[in-house]
Amino acid sequence: MTDLAHLFSPLTIGGKTIKNRILQSAHITGFVENGLPTDRHVKYYEARARGGVGLIVQEATVVSPDCQYHPEMFPQGYRPEITPWLRKITEAVHRHDAAIFLQLWHGGHVSTSMHTWRPGWSSSEVPNAAFGEVPVEMDGRMIRQAVQQFADLAQKAKEAGYDGVELNFCHGYLQQQFLSPFNNIRTDEYGGNLENRMRFGMEIIAAVRQVIGRDMVLGIRSAADEFIAGGFTLDDAKEFTARWARTGDVDYLNLTVATSKSGPYAVPPMMVPPRPFVYCAAEIRQVVDIPVCAGVRINDPVMANAIIENGEADMVAMARGLLCDPEFPNKAKAGRLDDIRQCIACNEGCWERFCHHEPITCMQNPEAGREGEFQITPADHPRKVMVIGGGCAGMKAAAVAKQRGHQVDLYEKSPELGGVILIPAKVPGRQELEQAVRYLKHEITSVGVPVHLNTEVTAEMIEAKKPDVVILASGGKTIRNPGADVVGPGQAIQVAAGTDIAAAEDVLEGKAETGQRVVIADYQNYMKGLITAEYLADQGKAVTLVVPFPIRMMTHNSYDIDIMTYAVQLRNLETKGVKRISEYEVKRAAPGKVWIQNVFTEEFEELDADTLVISYWRKADTALYDALKDRIDIRRIGDALSPRRVINAIYEGYKVATEI
Amino acid sequence: MDIIVCIKQAARYNIPNAVDSSGQLKTEDRVLILNPYDEIAVEEALRIREKIGSGSVTLVTVGPARAQAVLRRGLAMGADAGLHLLSENGHFFDAWGIAAILSAAISKMPHDLLLFGRLAIDDMRGQVGVFTAGLLKLPVVTAAARIDIDHEKRTVRIERSLDRGNRELLACPLPAAFTVDKVANRPRYPTWPARKQAQTAVIKAVSVEALGFSGEPGEKINKTFISRYAPPKLRPKKILAPDSSMSAANRLKFIMSGGMAKKSGEKLGGSPAQLADGIIAFLSERKMIPPDHFLAGRTQK
């Protein structure tokens, strides 16, 4: 029996006792409307408080109208109308015996005038690595104004009943732009040596402490290592965190890493090992005597407990872990570890949607961000339901339908459940995708859905069984023939006889071997091509990856890879020697050769290749649907409807089951 | 040839010792087995009897009632008889005490050869065999790896384990005592019928009181007593962390590989002067050349 006593022991921070060591770290939700929080926020935070978390740090709330990267995405803390909403949130959270702090945020030059019609502010006129716009160098008056803005929002937090505030001094935002020698090239008292570069932050700490007094907690979320050449390192962080602690005004430290240029490591994707930066907290804990919180990519209660037990940190911060399963703390405390739906750091539902200015949800948890709106309620009339296809869509539909009281049977033609997601799960770095399958399997087992493996369902079988509803989740098919009639003329490849050609799915499943020199035609322009490239490079092959565009033309709302995942995957490909050619399309292949065409000039180039690997989208398998659609209530979900992503599959599985 | 093998129960090795708040050993969770070195001694005795073709192997143990389990184990292996010197649970005898009890009993029994295990895996003393031999005024060789007995001449040639596989060669006359090392043999596994039979074998039991010992506090035969046990101090856990002097890309590489570092490095090329500059730059970057060193900042250019 695992005993998580350390994780569930209370901790006193700045005079306030927190009931356990789990902290929900601040993250943008995108639930804001017209710049203000909404009922969606209240329900979201209340669900997590109900789930047992000890301390919630609420999303970064803007202190200044001069900096936002999208006015619609961030709560505008500088507006007086925000206070009643803040009060609603604190009341909801306090009802469940959790503490809540407000995070105060000024992004500095992490801002774009495209949204604000104003320039960003910063320590120096050094453009932001992510947004690229030249900021205004802050003079004394602007510095005092920014400090005052922090104090003003702290005052609102006090009035709204927060137990404390957390200063966002991390992720390359304004304070870090002063602290980091990478951004700060000033020559006045706010630039140069460490004491000067810390001055702005120190002024904020003093001003905020002045406003909140000693009854509220003041904490700092800071990076411990910027991971860029010219930025600060953990050795530097040990010095400046010690100085912060010595002021006597800081009650705790919440550590993270990275800055704008190394942003992917702040919300690390799946291929970054779990708990990668806990060592930073462990080292800093040795030089300060205030509680230290370790976070980033921690998704497991046993791991979290070990961090506390080993003395690596006093608290463990999670954002995605609790987004995915708000009941994580309750389940962990009750010892129901298998019931926990673990975050797999796919970023599909959360970070990626935020980057497209959409409210966050979770790939595995469609209820996240839709608390109250997405609920499993009993069905009016129990129906007989056949779910065809044991992939993510089918399993989700079956589980939810069963929970609603329907009579459900799940059919899967292969010997195992999981569907197409099992293919990328074979690749090192993507194997956590199997966690999603594990949880779905556990869910259908717990609710008692009968599963029929090795059963291919035919139209005759359905007619014999006479179900009320058929949910068709039979998935899609691999494209192995890149002919114009299959993939359309613009993305077709003329393949001469004798060419060694294989589909990426078959390569990943081990069904196809490749020669030594491989060219991957990535017409899907998505993860499949990238992970196949890495997979083959790991085998020692010489891999060239050809993509039409490195990013899509219409980047807003496009079907794109989460930028964090993409950046880290590119890093992996670079370090493994994969050649990437972009703005080219593969047009012809013959034994030993592949011809690629420049997207702009239409000029051809020739590449040597032993094998051409093709990575296209997938095709929906419409056979059963076509046969039965006029005779029976048959509803397609997931790839069987249109091959897209796991988040769509699980969403549609959930949705269709609530509709029948 | 009358062979006596002294055996005991020892706490199994892979269960950590628990200590209570007053420093006493908590015995409830211990699993007790025949001390593996003693098992090897029993095997050695059986092989000697088999080689000579005649003789007896008698097992002796000192302990509370539960200790009979090791006698039955040895009987199942093929020993001829067992003698249980019965002490009470919780009574304490140190190595002197045990040796005194054993020698009191053995002195009244015919014995040509005394065998002991080299040490017990729980208390790790290795003293009882030597002390018993001393009390009985027998020659003793410890850590015997190989025992060759010349039955007619009543002499023994012993190979004794030294470090790293080295051996020391000794000889002595019988009667003698040896403590047996684990390299001596591989004990036989008793058959099921033999174990069943041993379950019901009659074992002679004599209380230590009858031999004149009590084991109560103040027992005069002991020369030492255990004041307390302390669990091992926790060793600080090592956490893998990249060093801040590494470049940002290398720090990330370290983390992405889970702490494994593929050996790679900068390869310098060029003339000796360029190589020298490269080396100085490399060392300076890692702060391995102090600023006042004559090489600091020095380049050929």
Side-chain angles (χ1 to χ4, degrees):
Chain A
M1 246 311 73
T2 6
D3 173 19
L4 303 176
H6 295 271
L7 190 60
F8 290 96
S9 59
L11 177 71
T12 307
I13 307 177
K16 290 248 178 340
T17 301
I18 313 292
K19 68 183 178 192
N20 60 44
R21 304 306 182 102
I22 306 174
L23 182 157
Q24 176 176 335
S25 43
H27 56 282
I28 309 296
T29 58
F31 302 158
V32 149
E33 268 166 45
N34 301 315
L36 293 176
T38 59
D39 272 326
R40 208 167 171 183
H41 281 93
V42 178
K43 294 203 179 84
Y44 177 76
Y45 285 116
E46 182 161 18
R48 272 127 201 97
R50 192 184 304 123
V53 68
L55 167 59
I56 293 177
V57 182
Q58 189 175 320
E59 78 184 288
T61 304
V62 184
V63 305
S64 161
D66 286 295
C67 166
Q68 310 188 64
Y69 31 116
H70 193 298
E72 293 307 303
M73 292 299 288
F74 283 69
Q76 293 163 1
Y78 48 86
R79 287 169 56 188
E81 306 95 290
I82 200 176
T83 311
W85 280 107
L86 296 179
R87 212 173 273 124
K88 277 196 195 159
I89 294 170
T90 57
E91 280 164 13
V93 168
H94 284 146
R95 271 203 284 278
H96 301 281
D97 197 31
I100 181 164
F101 298 170
L102 185 66
Q103 195 185 68
L104 313 180
W105 182 86
H106 192 314
H109 67 209
V110 184
S111 178
T112 148
S113 62
M114 171 146 33
H115 299 301
T116 60
W117 289 109
R118 307 180 197 209
W121 291 9
S122 192
S123 54
S124 303
E125 260 191 303
V126 174
N128 174 256
F131 285 71
E133 199 168 336
V134 182
V136 174
E137 178 175 315
M138 290 163 75
D139 61 15
R141 188 188 56 80
M142 293 159 84
I143 287 175
R144 280 191 294 280
Q145 190 177 333
V147 170
Q148 185 56 45
Q149 285 164 336
F150 272 94
D152 290 342
L153 184 53
Q155 176 62 31
K156 292 196 185 79
K158 185 172 175 181
E159 286 162 17
Y162 284 89
D163 302 293
V165 294
E166 186 179 89
L167 302 175
N168 182 315
F169 276 10
C170 57
H171 294 158
Y173 297 125
L174 183 59
Q175 188 280 145
Q176 196 171 334
Q177 290 156 35
F178 274 84
L179 181 57
S180 172
F182 183 79
N183 283 119
N184 184 341
I185 52 176
R186 296 172 79 101
T187 51
D188 65 356
E189 73 271 29
Y190 290 95
N193 63 26
L194 180 63
E195 185 184 346
N196 285 359
R197 286 183 279 120
M198 287 183 74
R199 195 177 304 281
F200 178 57
M202 290 293 207
E203 288 176 5
I204 295 172
I205 294 168
V208 169
R209 178 55 82 187
Q210 173 85 354
V211 162
I212 64 176
R214 286 287 155 190
D215 283 338
M216 281 170 72
V217 173
L218 191 157
I220 293 179
R221 188 149 209 230
S222 172
D225 189 329
E226 291 192 297
F227 288 121
I228 51 170
F232 60 74
T233 66
L234 179 56
D235 280 352
D236 301 313
K238 284 160 81 169
E239 182 53 42
F240 63 68
T241 52
R243 292 191 196 189
W244 283 334
R246 279 201 291 274
T247 61
D249 283 336
V250 179
D251 295 312
Y252 75 91
L253 292 169
N254 185 356
L255 297 171
T256 176
V257 298
T259 179
S260 297
K261 196 173 177 189
S262 49
Y265 299 96
V267 193
M270 199 187 295
M271 59 283 281
V272 177
R275 51 156 291 164
F277 308 119
V278 176
Y279 72 91
C280 297
E283 289 213 31
I284 285 175
R285 194 165 180 262
Q286 292 176 21
V287 302
V288 301
D289 52 15
I290 50 177
V292 172
C293 181
V296 187
R297 187 99 164 87
I298 296 170
N299 61 358
D300 184 288
V302 178
M303 181 195 297
N305 188 67
I307 290 170
I308 312 292
E309 189 176 6
N310 292 344
E312 293 172 270
D314 301 286
M315 288 196 91
V316 170
M318 290 193 284
R320 294 174 289 176
L322 292 167
L323 171 63
C324 185
D325 193 344
E327 290 287 319
F328 177 116
N330 286 344
K331 291 176 184 173
K333 192 165 185 201
R336 294 164 40 209
L337 301 184
D338 283 341
D339 287 347
I340 295 177
R341 181 172 41 220
Q342 282 191 332
C343 168
I344 61 173
C346 67
N347 286 356
E348 252 184 43
C350 53
W351 187 257
E352 191 188 344
R353 289 181 55 81
F354 162 66
C355 284
H356 288 305
H357 303 157
E358 290 287 330
I360 64 173
T361 176
C362 174
M363 183 268 258
Q364 294 189 75
N365 179 13
E367 287 173 359
R370 302 184 180 107
E371 287 82 11
E373 183 200 328
F374 266 38
Q375 275 174 344
I376 298 178
T377 51
D380 296 328
H381 309 285
R383 322 252 301 263
K384 181 173 173 186
V385 182
M386 280 177 78
V387 179
I388 301 170
C392 290
M395 286 197 278
K396 195 68 189 177
V400 174
K402 185 73 163 67
Q403 282 176 276
R404 294 190 62 222
H406 293 298
Q407 183 202 337
V408 185
D409 280 86
L410 177 61
Y411 298 86
E412 165 56 42
K413 74 173 182 221
S414 80
E416 63 179 333
L417 294 170
V420 74
I421 206 181
L422 294 176
I423 299 179
K426 289 179 167 33
V427 175
R430 299 301 280 172
Q431 67 263 37
E432 279 194 61
L433 289 169
E434 260 204 77
Q435 256 295 334
V437 170
R438 179 208 72 86
Y439 180 78
L440 288 166
K441 283 204 288 210
H442 177 76
E443 202 178 27
I444 58 177
T445 311
S446 315
V447 303
V449 174
V451 176
H452 310 269
L453 297 174
N454 295 303
T455 308
E456 180 152 7
V457 174
T458 58
E460 293 76 39
M461 269 173 79
I462 294 176
E463 291 186 342
K465 287 196 190 293
K466 299 193 193 330
D468 297 313
V469 181
V470 172
I471 296 177
L472 186 60
S474 49
K477 298 186 286 197
T478 303
I479 291 178
R480 294 187 175 89
N481 165 23
D485 53 334
V486 178
V487 300
Q491 287 154 119
I493 305 175
Q494 260 182 300
V495 181
T499 309
D500 187 22
I501 179 172
E505 289 93 325
D506 293 334
V507 171
L508 293 176
E509 277 201 288
K511 290 183 180 155
E513 291 282 336
T514 68
Q516 177 55 27
R517 297 167 304 176
V518 180
V519 167
I520 302 179
D522 189 0
Y523 273 107
Q524 191 192 33
N525 206 7
Y526 198 62
M527 280 304 278
K528 188 163 64 195
L530 296 175
I531 65 173
T532 307
E534 189 179 3
Y535 180 73
L536 291 169
D538 279 339
Q539 292 173 22
K541 314 275 183 187
V543 182
T544 304
L545 178 66
V546 180
V547 294
F549 290 102
I551 53 165
R552 296 188 191 280
M553 297 278 258
M554 301 291 286
T555 54
H556 184 71
N557 294 342
S558 62
Y559 180 74
D560 222 332
I561 307 171
D562 157 58
I563 195 71
M564 309 307 204
T565 308
Y566 190 46
V568 178
Q569 186 64 20
L570 287 189
R571 179 219 157 264
N572 286 357
L573 295 183
E574 286 288 320
T575 54
K576 292 182 181 182
V578 169
K579 256 189 78 182
R580 277 174 57 248
I581 299 178
S582 61
E583 288 101 47
Y584 275 86
E585 292 175 325
V586 174
K587 288 295 178 189
R588 286 205 318 273
K593 293 240 177 281
V594 166
W595 286 268
I596 60 176
Q597 184 180 38
N598 186 291
V599 164
F600 302 113
T601 65
E602 295 187 349
E603 277 171 22
F604 278 90
E605 277 192 35
E606 194 181 283
L607 300 176
D608 294 323
D610 298 312
T611 307
L612 172 66
V613 172
I614 56 172
S615 177
Y616 281 94
W617 50 93
R618 293 172 65 74
K619 275 205 156 332
D621 187 346
T622 57
L624 260 182
Y625 180 74
D626 292 333
L628 294 166
K629 66 183 173 196
D630 298 320
R631 299 206 293 275
I632 201 170
D633 184 359
I634 177 167
R635 309 187 193 194
R636 293 178 290 177
I637 57 171
D639 281 9
L641 173 58
S642 145
R644 287 156 295 147
R645 303 165 63 172
V646 191
I647 192 174
N648 302 112
I650 294 179
Y651 172 85
E652 286 171 2
Y654 186 103
K655 198 121 199 300
V656 78
T658 57
E659 285 165 358
I660 54 179
Chain B
M1 166 82 53
D2 292 309
I3 309 173
I4 296 182
V5 189
C6 298
I7 61 178
K8 70 167 266 192
Q9 279 183 315
R12 197 155 188 270
Y13 39 83
N14 60 350
I15 297 166
N17 286 317
V19 174
D20 69 22
S21 49
S22 64
Q24 301 305 306
L25 204 58
K26 291 206 282 198
T27 55
E28 325 64 84
D29 289 332
R30 299 203 312 174
V31 173
L32 297 172
I33 55 169
L34 169 58
N35 179 36
Y37 286 92
D38 297 353
E39 191 181 7
I40 291 167
V42 173
E43 175 64 27
E44 195 62 25
L46 297 171
R47 290 189 190 193
I48 291 169
R49 183 189 67 188
E50 278 154 19
K51 189 144 180 251
I52 292 174
S54 64
S56 71
V57 174
T58 305
L59 309 176
V60 184
T61 196
V62 181
R66 55 169 162 76
Q68 64 170 286
V70 299
L71 293 173
R72 296 195 188 279
R73 174 74 180 202
L75 289 172
M77 284 168 76
D80 300 298
L83 172 62
H84 191 164
L85 303 176
L86 202 56
S87 72
E88 293 297 307
N89 227 345
H91 279 171
F92 174 69
F93 290 106
D94 70 0
W96 287 111
I98 301 284
I101 295 167
L102 286 172
S103 63
I106 292 172
S107 59
K108 302 196 192 93
M109 298 158 69
H111 55 275
D112 297 301
L113 180 61
L114 245 53
L115 292 180
F116 301 79
R118 182 179 180 178
L119 44 74
I121 57 170
D122 51 3
D123 56 46
M124 306 282 279
R125 287 184 302 209
Q127 298 171 322
V128 168
V130 177
F131 292 173
T132 310
L135 289 172
L136 292 169
K137 300 205 183 346
L138 295 174
V140 63
V141 176
T142 57
R146 190 182 159 128
I147 300 171
D148 287 316
I149 297 183
D150 188 329
H151 187 53
E152 268 136 42
K153 298 203 187 110
R154 294 199 42 96
T155 57
V156 194
R157 179 184 167 281
I158 313 104
E159 279 178 31
R160 186 173 171 265
S161 278
L162 295 177
D163 66 315
R164 285 181 284 180
N166 291 311
R167 298 275 175 94
E168 196 178 39
L169 198 54
L170 298 119
C172 76
L174 290 175
F178 305 117
T179 76
V180 178
D181 191 24
K182 79 172 123 142
V183 302
N185 62 51
R186 261 254 195 93
R188 68 197 62 187
Y189 192 79
T191 64
W192 171 240
R195 285 163 69 193
K196 273 207 82 167
Q197 199 170 26
Q199 283 303 106
T200 52
V202 174
I203 295 178
K204 184 168 175 210
V206 175
S207 74
V208 298
E209 284 84 0
L211 294 169
F213 305 98
S214 77
E216 301 277 354
E219 164 61 68
K220 286 196 290 291
I221 197 64
N222 292 328
K223 290 191 195 296
T224 62
F225 72 99
I226 296 176
S227 64
R228 69 181 182 89
Y229 289 86
K233 281 211 188 89
L234 291 169
R235 263 179 283 168
K237 291 208 168 150
K238 281 197 178 170
I239 304 170
L240 281 175
D243 191 76
S244 291
S245 67
M246 291 160 69
S247 71
N250 283 340
R251 297 202 296 277
L252 284 173
K253 209 173 189 176
F254 184 100
I255 287 163
M256 289 298 288
S257 61
M260 306 300 227
K262 259 201 215 135
K263 294 210 196 275
S264 70
E266 287 177 63
K267 221 173 175 176
L268 293 177
S271 67
Q274 286 171 319
L275 293 175
D277 284 347
I279 292 170
I280 292 173
F282 180 89
L283 294 173
S284 305
E285 224 179 285
R286 282 150 190 77
K287 302 193 172 66
M288 290 166 84
I289 301 182
D292 54 348
H293 193 276
F294 80 94
L295 283 176
R298 204 162 120 154
T299 59
Q300 299 296 314
K301 300 194 175 76

